[in-house]
Structure formats: structure tokens, C-alpha cells
Amino acid sequence: MRPARDLTPAPARLERDFFDRPAHQVAPDLLGRVLMHGPVALRITETEAYGVPGEDPASHTYRGRTARNAVMFGPPGHLYVYFTYGMHFCANLTCLPEGIGSGVLLRAGEVISGAEQALARRTAGSCRVVKHDDLAKGPARLAVALGFTREHNGLDACAPGPLPESPGSPGMSEILELSVLEGEPAVPSSIRSGPRTGVSSAQETPWRFWIDADPTVSPHRPHVPRRR
């Protein structure tokens, strides 16, 4: 008797043309997808879109290309990592063709693999208690949980190469550096949108997207000017 074949489809990576669209179209379509980096994988539950130079004053590319935002002007499907407030890294995925400059901020997710590693990164040897739902709740926490730092700026999420059989497979970090898998896209009726969080310009642009009632989604915080 022949052994039964495993007919479970292998995980599929999102291809570059997925990201070769306006950021406000890519952002809601990323909800429910699986972002993998080394041993940690998470289901994306909240995103935020940023538009093109000269049109979106909240975008890092608004005034054109600089050394800091150069990755955003590269091909779509790359990781743009930046440092903010002198203490946090945040991560985006680039959109639109090379030379334009647009992206989607990864705001929150549910860790579905590598939780121990994500927790170790979040606590960094301290005695803090971090609940599972809070591991990647917010863009800075997400970046820490996934281990993103400045050295990961420019990683290609669409680079050809073998995929593991499933998130968390042994040796995954040796097979693939970064990838976004198809996952289970959020049901359209569950997707909500609203003003972006914490930006000083174009605050009311409804380009923040999240899965309704998901416990890993971060709270909305309007921009508060710093006191001098």
C-alpha cells in the first residue's frame, strides 16, 4: 500500500506585483497575511498606508529622496526600517514601481510562530510580563518581536528561493530571511479604516486599516505636539 500523500498546499509567497500598487490598496490587502522573519512569524492585523512624494505630507518621501528614505524609492516589496523618537525601529513594505516612493507601515500582528523568541526580544532579560496579544501590538513592538533593526533596511520580501513547509519549520531562518505569505486574507466585512496614528500632517486621511475586534490591534492615538 502506498503511503497517503500530503495534499496540504505549501505556503505561497506574495509576489512583487502584489506590492506594485498604491499603498492604500496594498495596506488592507495585507491584513491576515503572514509575515516571517527568521524563527518568528505573525499574522498581520493592522497596517497604515503612506503615499507618494509631493502628495502625502505624512509620508517620509513627501519632500523627495534622501539617504534615510532611499529604500522607499527602490523596487516594491522591500523592507524599509527607520529609527524614530530616538528609541524605536518601525518597519514598512515598499509599494509602487521603483523611483516613486511609497509604503505600508506594519502596525500590529498576532505572533503565530516563534513566540518564545519574540517574548525574549520584548523583555530583553527583564522581569516584565508581556501578554501574548501584546507581543506585536504597535509598530515598535512589532519590529522588536520580529528582530528588525537598521541592518535589515532594504531586505527583499519577494526574493526567489525555497519556502519552508510551514511557519516555524526547523531551519526556517537558514532557508529564508524575510517573506510575506498569502495566509488567510481578512474577510472584507471585518476590515475597518480610520485616521492614521500619531502623524502631525494629514491626520484625517483614513489610511489606517485593521481587523475589527482583533485583540492585537493597537489603540488609535492622535498626534500630540511636543512641548519645547
Side-chain angles (χ1 to χ4, degrees):
M1 179 181 294
R2 294 182 179 179
R5 290 187 299 164
D6 182 4
L7 298 179
T8 303
R13 179 192 292 115
L14 295 181
E15 301 295 341
R16 203 169 307 283
D17 59 0
F18 175 92
F19 299 98
D20 194 6
R21 299 179 288 158
H24 67 278
Q25 295 178 14
V26 175
D29 207 4
L30 277 171
L31 298 176
R33 312 295 187 164
V34 175
L35 178 65
M36 300 167 55
H37 181 237
V40 179
L42 59 77
R43 180 179 67 96
I44 300 170
T45 59
E46 182 185 4
T47 57
E48 203 165 71
Y50 287 89
V52 299
E55 295 184 11
D56 184 359
S59 175
H60 284 191
T61 66
Y62 181 61
R63 290 183 172 82
R65 182 170 180 154
T66 66
R68 183 196 192 200
N69 68 22
V71 169
M72 289 190 77
F73 287 86
H78 284 69
L79 193 71
Y80 166 55
V81 180
Y82 67 90
F83 197 56
T84 185
Y85 297 119
M87 66 181 81
H88 301 306
F89 287 103
C90 294
N92 302 251
L93 289 166
T94 60
C95 301
L96 292 175
E98 185 170 1
I100 295 182
S102 180
V104 174
L105 174 65
L106 302 167
R107 287 203 53 88
E110 175 195 6
V111 176
I112 59 174
S113 180
E116 290 185 4
Q117 178 69 33
L119 179 62
R121 290 169 174 164
R122 283 292 321 282
T123 56
S126 70
C127 297
R128 289 182 299 159
V129 176
V130 178
K131 296 188 297 183
H132 184 81
D133 287 346
D134 292 339
L135 285 174
K137 180 184 284 189
R141 293 176 177 180
L142 180 148
V144 172
L146 286 165
F148 291 147
T149 62
R150 188 175 285 108
E151 67 181 353
H152 299 106
N153 187 41
L155 282 181
D156 188 353
C158 306
L163 281 168
E165 293 182 0
S166 63
S169 296
M172 180 178 67
S173 61
E174 300 174 4
I175 296 173
L176 188 67
E177 185 70 19
L178 175 73
S179 190
V180 186
L181 307 184
E182 287 185 354
E184 295 184 11
V187 177
S189 62
S190 72
I191 296 175
R192 300 291 179 266
S193 65
R196 292 179 290 194
T197 293
V199 294
S200 58
S201 302
Q203 295 184 51
E204 297 307 313
T205 302
W207 282 1
R208 172 177 168 253
F209 302 90
W210 67 93
I211 298 176
D212 188 38
D214 192 289
T216 65
V217 172
S218 66
H220 175 262
R221 292 188 177 93
H223 173 72
V224 177
R226 294 189 193 181
R227 293 184 178 181
R228 296 184 177 180

